[in-house]
């Protein structure tokens, strides 16, 4: 036996790190990964962020055994997404230019029969919606039987008007406060509703890099937000999903390109069997006409949905800036 072997036999081996120490070390590694780095060109930054995302996914598979990232890791990834999208090249539109969006959408809710059971086999008809909005929000354009129509849209919101969104703060806390103020009067200032409105903003509007970054930073501050780096989008492609559960029964997802983090789609899916019944928990009353008189609607099952059924989707087909309504980028 040589000297090294003697030392190995006689010297006690150190105990493995305690679980608390392992957790602290991992947290420190994630914190270091989330620190801002010097600004670089977009392509380089995107590749670096994608590589970092692989590291975090590996951590989930080893330590968590789940597809979605736990809250702390999701916040790190959302910070990375915000840093990446802020590097994108962007030219603001003029007030007199038009923003063209085209989304392929499908949604349930209309035409559901009383007591109907909705399952993954229930047809979900799709519609394609080309739409033009002046950057200042004063006019909108749309097709009626293939013919272009324009009109005064009336009241608009930052979700669908570039000028209104551009006027909002880029600090995530201030941005959240503005969205809560915007929808509080309608009784929709809760976290689930705000997440959905931020998702719709990414879907329907042309979003400048600084506001897109602020949106993802704001989303990171909402409770219950998770990230799935192995999601599949509405076109069957690998995607990154940022999601939150709404009303306890459906998952609302923002689907992004897994490398560039460009917005792709929004999807809502039932995560459990669910029933809509009347009367509703809010106590709202309904009545109907019978024999010329208003009579209360008796309690009943309005509809139900099976776990795994898609409730709605909105897939971006195109977005761009044009000089006139009717033009396409």
């Amino acid at each position: 036996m040589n000297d090294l072997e003697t030392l190995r036999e006689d010297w006690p081996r150190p105990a493995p790190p305690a679980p608390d120490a392992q957790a602290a070390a991992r947290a420190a590694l994630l914190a270091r990964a989330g620190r801002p780095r010097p600004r670089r060109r977009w392509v380089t930054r995107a590749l670096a962020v994608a590589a970092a995302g692989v590291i975090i996914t590996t951590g989930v598979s080893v330590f968590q055994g789940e597809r979605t990232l736990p809250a702390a890791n999701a916040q790190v990834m959302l910070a990375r997404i915000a840093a990446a999208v802020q590097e994108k090249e962007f030219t603001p539109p003029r007030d007199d230019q038009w923003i063209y969006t085209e989304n392929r959408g499908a949604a349930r809710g209309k035409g559901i029969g009383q007591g109907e059971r909705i399952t993954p086999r229930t047809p979900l008809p799709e519609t394609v919606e080309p739409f033009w909005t002046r950057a200042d929000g004063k006019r909108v354009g749309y097709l009626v039987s293939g013919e272009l129509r324009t009109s005064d849209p009336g009241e608009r919101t930052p979700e669908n008007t570039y000028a209104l969104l551009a006027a909002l703060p880029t600090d995530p806390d201030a941005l959240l406060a503005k969205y809560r103020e915007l929808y509080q009067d309608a009784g929709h200032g809760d976290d689930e509703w705000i997440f959905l409105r931020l998702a719709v903003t990414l879907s329907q509007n042309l979003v400048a890099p600084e506001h897109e970054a602020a949106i993802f930073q704001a989303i990171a501050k909402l409770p219950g937000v998770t990230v799935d780096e192995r999601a599949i989008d509405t076109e069957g492609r690998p995607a990154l999903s940022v999601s939150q559960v709404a009303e306890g029964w459906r998952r609302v997802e923002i689907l992004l390109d897994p490398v560039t983090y460009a917005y792709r789609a929004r999807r809502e899916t039932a995560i459990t069997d669910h029933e809509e019944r009347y009367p509703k928990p809010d106590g709202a009353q309904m009545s109907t006409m019978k024999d010329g008189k208003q009579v209360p609607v008796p309690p009943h099952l309005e509809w139900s949905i099976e776990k795994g059924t898609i409730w709605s989707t909105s897939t971006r087909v195109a977005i761009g800036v044009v000089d006139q309504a009717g033009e396409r980028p």
Side-chain angles (χ1 to χ4, degrees):
M1 180 180 296
N2 58 36
D3 293 342
L4 289 176
E5 290 173 337
T6 301
L7 283 172
R8 291 192 185 100
E9 290 293 327
D10 296 338
W11 197 277
R13 296 186 179 185
D20 289 346
Q22 293 184 42
R26 183 167 180 267
L29 175 62
L30 290 172
R32 178 181 296 180
R35 291 174 186 167
R37 298 183 179 181
R39 294 170 69 92
R40 298 179 182 176
R41 293 187 61 194
W42 159 245
V43 174
T44 303
R45 180 67 175 175
L47 292 174
V49 171
V54 173
I55 293 173
I56 293 179
T57 301
T58 302
V60 172
S61 63
V62 172
F63 294 101
Q64 302 294 332
E66 300 175 354
R67 284 184 54 169
T68 55
L69 302 179
N73 300 50
Q75 290 175 353
V76 171
M77 179 54 71
L78 286 164
R80 291 184 176 280
I81 294 171
V85 299
Q86 197 162 5
E87 298 287 339
K88 294 192 298 187
E89 295 182 1
F90 183 76
T91 301
R94 301 188 312 268
D95 282 349
D96 65 337
Q97 288 185 304
W98 295 71
I99 296 165
Y100 174 76
T101 56
E102 185 173 336
N103 289 290
R104 184 168 57 252
R108 305 190 192 275
K110 294 182 179 180
I112 297 178
Q114 182 172 318
E116 182 178 348
R117 176 72 167 173
I118 308 168
T119 76
R121 296 166 295 283
T122 305
L124 183 61
E126 289 189 338
T127 59
V128 178
E129 301 172 355
F131 201 78
W132 293 263
T133 306
R134 258 184 59 131
D136 60 8
K138 293 181 178 180
R139 300 290 291 179
V140 294
Y142 44 89
L143 299 178
V144 177
S145 300
E147 180 181 346
L148 176 68
R149 303 279 181 88
T150 65
S151 65
D152 181 346
E155 186 177 356
R156 303 287 281 172
T157 71
E159 295 175 14
N160 47 37
T161 303
Y162 176 82
L164 294 179
L165 179 61
L168 293 183
T170 56
D171 174 80
D173 290 308
L175 185 66
L176 277 177
K178 284 293 185 180
Y179 268 75
R180 293 190 196 284
E181 178 185 342
L182 183 65
Y183 294 105
Q184 194 66 52
D185 291 343
H188 294 301
D190 58 274
D191 294 323
E192 294 175 7
W193 184 257
I194 297 303
F195 178 89
L196 179 58
R197 296 346 290 174
L198 292 171
V200 171
T201 301
L202 292 172
S203 170
Q204 293 187 354
N205 209 342
L206 181 70
V207 186
E210 60 270 22
H211 279 101
E212 189 171 359
I215 285 174
F216 284 112
Q217 291 168 335
I219 287 173
K221 294 177 176 291
L222 296 175
V225 173
T226 60
V227 174
D228 181 0
E229 294 185 282
R230 292 183 288 168
I232 301 298
D233 71 10
T234 54
E235 302 292 300
R237 300 168 297 182
L240 186 146
S241 165
V242 179
S243 68
Q244 187 190 58
V245 174
E247 300 181 324
W249 66 270
R250 72 184 191 279
R251 182 175 301 282
V252 180
E253 296 178 276
I254 301 169
L255 296 164
L256 308 174
D257 183 287
V259 175
T260 67
Y261 305 126
Y263 174 86
R264 283 186 180 171
R266 189 177 76 253
R267 178 172 60 206
E268 299 184 34
T269 308
I271 59 171
T272 185
D273 290 347
H274 174 72
E275 293 182 344
E276 282 287 316
R277 290 187 170 274
Y278 176 80
K280 297 182 182 298
D282 60 11
Q285 299 297 311
M286 296 173 62
S287 61
T288 187
M289 293 294 296
K290 186 175 183 180
D291 298 330
K293 297 181 180 180
Q294 289 278 355
V295 296
V297 174
H300 63 272
L301 172 67
E302 293 191 323
W303 52 266
S304 64
I305 189 168
E306 183 179 310
K307 177 181 178 180
T309 304
I310 292 176
W311 176 252
S312 70
T313 64
S314 176
T315 304
R316 172 170 291 168
V317 177
I319 186 168
V321 177
V322 295
D323 291 328
Q324 300 291 335
E327 294 179 353
R328 305 195 184 206

